[in-house]
């Protein structure tokens, strides 16, 4: 049994470390990687195929995307990622903890996406996309865990109240800062969502897809292509250098708010880890 538990535990820890990168979408962007598009044309004289290569710039290596990479590096330090991931494991350790996490997310996304709907600033509208919206999936998950009357039986936690108050403040006073909320929340969800959904299902012994609609982006075929396009649009926004610096500061603040929500949760990260180990053991013996 021990021979099975050790490699399974290592695999799970590796997945958790990968989540650290998932919620730090720009962590490796300074490693310049040349992307090439290959186009083929027919040479009429020889009837042979001629291949041309054209270099495509990674949008994360320039503009506001690069500023966010550099500017949020402190928030994505080992210590901050440890706090984030420990909180995430607490959030999936028990059904009660996960329901509390979903409840906090419901209030955050309800106010955040309402702010996007009401915002008239073109720069925010350009990055807003129904494919990224999470409130519908959250409502599906809340229905699953709480039943249809859940709205009358929930309330935001203290830190969630601080978070949504900040959303309302920037929406009213400096709506361009909503870009930091789009960047931090949506890209984190998109990068890490599939992995978190799987971990949640295994930890809480849920049937595949039940209670994890929040993490599903069914309308996005290629995460990589979509995020590259999103970064490109972000870099093209008409923003002053001072506004860009403020957006970076706001992104760091949003990351702190998310850690705060996780730290409020009651639960044991070790229980979640053990549940994941047992789930993988069941899968292993089920295949043997």
């Amino acid at each position: 049994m021990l021979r099975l538990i050790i490699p399974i535990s290592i695999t799970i820890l590796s997945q958790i470390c990968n989540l650290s990168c998932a919620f730090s979408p720009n962590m490796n962007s300074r490693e310049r990687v040349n992307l090439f598009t290959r186009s083929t044309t027919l040479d009429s004289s020889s009837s042979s195929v001629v291949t041309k290569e054209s270099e495509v710039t990674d949008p994360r290596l320039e503009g506001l995307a690069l500023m966010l990479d550099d500017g949020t590096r402190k928030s994505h330090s080992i210590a901050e990622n440890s706090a984030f991931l420990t909180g995430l494991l607490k959030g999936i350790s028990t059904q009660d903890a996960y329901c509390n996490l979903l409840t906090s997310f419901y209030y955050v996304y309800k106010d955040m996406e309402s702010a996007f709907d009401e915002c008239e600033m073109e720069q925010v509208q350009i990055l807003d996309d129904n494919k990224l919206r999470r409130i519908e999936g959250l409502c599906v998950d809340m229905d699953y865990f709480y039943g249809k009357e859940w709205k009358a039986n929930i309330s935001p936690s203290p830190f969630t109240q601080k978070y949504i108050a900040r959303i309302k403040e920037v929406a009213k006073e400096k709506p361009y800062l909503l870009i930091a909320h789009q960047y931090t929340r949506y890209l984190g969800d998109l990068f890490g969502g599939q992995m978190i959904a799987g971990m949640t299902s295994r930890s809480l012994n849920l049937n595949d897809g039940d209670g994890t609609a929040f993490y599903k982006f069914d309308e996005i075929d290629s995460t990589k292509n979509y995020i590259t396009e999103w970064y490109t649009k972000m870099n093209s926004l008409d923003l002053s250098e001072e506004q860009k610096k403020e957006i970076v500061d706001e992104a760091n603040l949003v990351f702190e708010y998310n850690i705060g929500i996780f730290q409020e949760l009651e639960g044991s990260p070790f229980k979640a880890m053990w549940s994941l180990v047992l789930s993988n053991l069941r899968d292993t013996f089920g295949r043997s």
Side-chain angles (χ1 to χ4, degrees):
M1 179 70 73
L2 187 60
R3 290 180 180 178
L4 285 172
I5 290 176
I6 291 175
I8 287 173
S9 299
I10 292 172
T11 299
I12 291 171
L13 286 171
S14 176
Q15 292 174 344
I16 293 171
C17 289
N18 287 338
L19 276 178
S20 171
C21 296
F23 282 90
S24 307
N26 283 321
M27 287 291 279
N28 296 318
S29 67
R30 295 184 67 78
E31 297 177 4
R32 294 184 174 269
V33 179
N34 291 326
L35 303 176
F36 293 93
T37 55
R38 299 172 65 87
S39 60
T40 57
T41 57
L42 187 65
D43 186 326
S44 58
S45 61
S46 62
S47 297
S48 62
V49 174
V50 179
T51 301
K52 295 180 179 180
E53 295 183 339
S54 59
E55 186 174 349
V56 178
T57 303
D58 185 340
R60 291 177 296 178
L61 304 177
E62 60 187 13
L64 180 54
L66 182 57
M67 289 179 67
L68 282 162
D69 173 20
D70 287 341
T72 59
R73 202 170 292 276
K74 182 179 179 181
S75 287
H76 294 146
S77 67
I78 293 175
E80 293 296 331
N81 276 327
S82 296
F84 180 88
L85 294 172
T86 298
L88 176 61
L89 285 172
K90 285 169 58 180
I92 64 173
S93 63
T94 66
Q95 184 167 306
D96 284 345
Y98 184 59
C99 287
N100 288 335
L101 180 60
L102 289 177
T103 298
S104 291
F105 283 164
Y106 166 75
Y107 282 107
V108 168
Y109 280 88
K110 178 172 70 70
D111 281 23
M112 188 173 73
E113 294 181 354
S114 292
F116 298 156
D117 288 335
E118 296 169 6
C119 184
E120 297 180 356
M121 190 172 190
E122 183 182 13
Q123 290 89 333
V124 175
Q125 294 175 347
I126 287 173
L127 296 179
D128 188 25
D129 187 348
N130 284 333
K131 293 178 181 179
L132 293 173
R133 295 292 185 105
R134 297 292 86 205
I135 198 66
E136 184 176 334
L138 279 165
C139 288
V140 171
D141 293 337
M142 298 291 275
D143 283 348
Y144 175 78
F145 287 110
Y146 287 110
K148 296 296 183 180
E149 304 301 321
W150 55 268
K151 288 185 180 180
N153 300 313
I154 63 169
S155 59
S157 68
F159 215 99
T160 302
Q161 292 179 45
K162 293 181 182 180
Y163 195 159
I164 60 181
R166 179 60 182 175
I167 292 171
K168 292 176 180 178
E169 179 184 357
V170 300
K172 181 180 180 180
E173 298 180 3
K174 294 184 175 182
Y176 57 88
L177 293 183
L178 290 172
I179 293 169
H181 293 258
Q182 293 171 312
Y183 164 83
T184 307
R185 277 276 18 138
Y186 284 143
L187 293 198
D189 297 333
L190 191 52
F191 268 106
Q194 186 175 3
M195 191 178 299
I196 296 176
M199 292 172 63
T200 302
S201 295
R202 293 196 301 276
S203 178
L204 301 181
N205 198 27
L206 300 172
N207 292 327
D208 186 37
D210 288 344
T212 58
F214 168 68
Y215 295 109
K216 304 296 176 61
F217 291 83
D218 294 332
E219 296 183 56
I220 296 178
D221 296 326
S222 169
T223 298
K224 179 181 177 181
N225 291 343
Y226 184 90
I227 289 175
T228 298
E229 293 172 5
W230 197 91
Y231 276 126
T232 300
K233 288 192 291 185
M234 183 173 69
N235 284 341
S236 71
L237 298 178
D238 183 13
L239 295 164
S240 69
E241 288 304 305
E242 182 60 32
Q243 287 175 324
K244 291 177 182 179
K245 291 176 183 177
E246 289 184 72
I247 289 170
V248 173
D249 290 340
E250 186 72 12
N252 282 307
L253 184 61
V254 174
F255 195 77
E256 291 178 14
Y257 278 130
N258 280 281
I259 291 178
I261 284 178
F262 283 127
Q263 289 178 336
E264 285 184 318
L265 298 174
E266 294 183 5
S268 168
F270 302 106
K271 182 180 185 301
M273 275 289 295
W274 183 242
S275 295
L276 292 171
V277 169
L278 291 178
S279 175
N280 278 273
L281 281 172
R282 286 193 295 268
D283 290 345
T284 299
F285 284 119
R287 289 194 300 267
S288 60

